[in-house]
Amino acid sequence: MRSISIFGATGSIGEQTVDLLLRAGGARTHRVVALTGGRNLARLAEMARLLRAEIAVCADPRDLRELRERLAGSGVEAAAGPEALLEAADRPADWVMSAIVGAAGLAPGFRALRHGGTLALANKESLVTAGPLLMAEAARQRARILPVDSEHSAIFQALVGEDIAAVERIILTASGGALRDWPIERLAAATVAEALAHPNWTMGLRITIDSASMFNKALEVIETREFFGVAPDQIEVIIHPESLIHSMVGYRDGAIMAHMGAPDMRHSIGYALNWPERAALPVARLDLARIGQLTFRAPDLQRYPALRLAREVMARRGLAGAAFNAAKEVALDHFLAGGIGFMDMGCVVEATLEVLDPELGRENDRMTLEDVQAVDHLARQRAGEVARRQAGER
């Protein structure tokens, strides 16, 4: 019986992971070690009961009493706070889903690698902020990292049986987000509600906004560089509004391998959960005749400055990824709070990178997790200052 932990169980990826586990037999077929979640205590407790988890951890220590009450009589241990999260990651598990959103997912994922099992990585920020550290730790512990982002799962699958040296280019597809067809002059006035109206996917609030700004895709460009070890100029982005091709790999003989499927994250979650086998999954099957055609277009870098900034981050290397992600998270906070406009988010990130440039040049082989965390903290401070200044100028 394989042991499993899910970090970020109450988010979109976590919910779908739990769905697949329950369909596969739940506690009868898997031993669930730890489930962690945010403020949705009712759902976290419900999941823990259904899967008979050993421990459930919520993010805020102030919620511990309520979580204990919801789990009373279940035999599931309750805990709360950052230290409890790390302690949960220290509990050995064969397969760990890392689905906490943001830089907060780095430390528990890093800890989970120590057990030498499989880390199913949906937390793209881990590779963006500390890719060399994470990959080196996996190699040191003889652990395996499997990508769960739909794009990187698609690339991973397109590379099966192939030599990475034969890869000419990797093409990341992007939906373009909720505002992809807006006139560019209207984007500055876009509201949170408008940026959340994604045409293809139902996702969490933050990732949906990141999709509209393409900061999500910018992170994925950096993630591709770190996970697959290809050169930045081998990575391309193309807008594919139908979201049916999840990414492509082009080889030196001119062939392109594309991964297609309905826009359902259970594809990539299920692949990571059952790897190296392919199990039956409860996802829609494509009717290509009904679909009729697929469309593609190049992204406009004026509309999506995040893509240009990702290139600059890859050129800087070192700690630039940690600063980029932290500034992006702060800029998003300020947009959600109404302090800055939609297009101001890119300005906040760019200004933060410029201010911190002297701090970001550390060579990758000299980076430590403490360095990453320190730059993350510093970048949040600087990005907050920039965002407040921009808010005052509006």
Side-chain angles (χ1 to χ4, degrees), residues 5-7 33-36 55 57 81-94 96-98 100 104-116 119:
S5 288
I6 305 173
F7 291 84
V33 177
L35 297 178
T36 80
I55 187 171
V57 181
E83 286 303 316
L85 183 65
L86 294 178
E87 288 169 6
D90 285 336
R91 298 189 181 209
D94 300 320
V96 175
M97 169 58 78
S98 174
I100 296 173
L106 171 60
F110 200 88
R111 288 276 190 105
L113 286 173
R114 296 176 182 174
H115 309 306
L119 182 68

Side-chain angles (χ1 to χ4, degrees), residues 281-350:
L281 296 175
V283 298
R285 272 50 176 174
L286 294 183
D287 182 341
L288 296 177
R290 184 183 60 79
I291 293 165
Q293 65 180 8
L294 302 174
T295 56
F296 306 92
R297 64 176 184 255
D300 179 347
L301 296 188
Q302 273 193 296
R303 178 185 292 269
Y304 302 116
L307 297 178
R308 171 180 56 81
L309 292 171
R311 300 286 176 187
E312 295 177 11
V313 166
M314 289 191 292
R316 281 183 171 104
R317 298 301 303 275
L319 295 162
F324 177 76
N325 178 71
K328 187 274 298 183
E329 291 187 14
V330 170
L332 176 56
D333 289 339
H334 282 262
F335 172 64
L336 291 172
I340 62 174
F342 181 77
M343 296 302 289
D344 292 331
M345 290 189 286
C347 298
V348 168
V349 175
E350 185 165 17

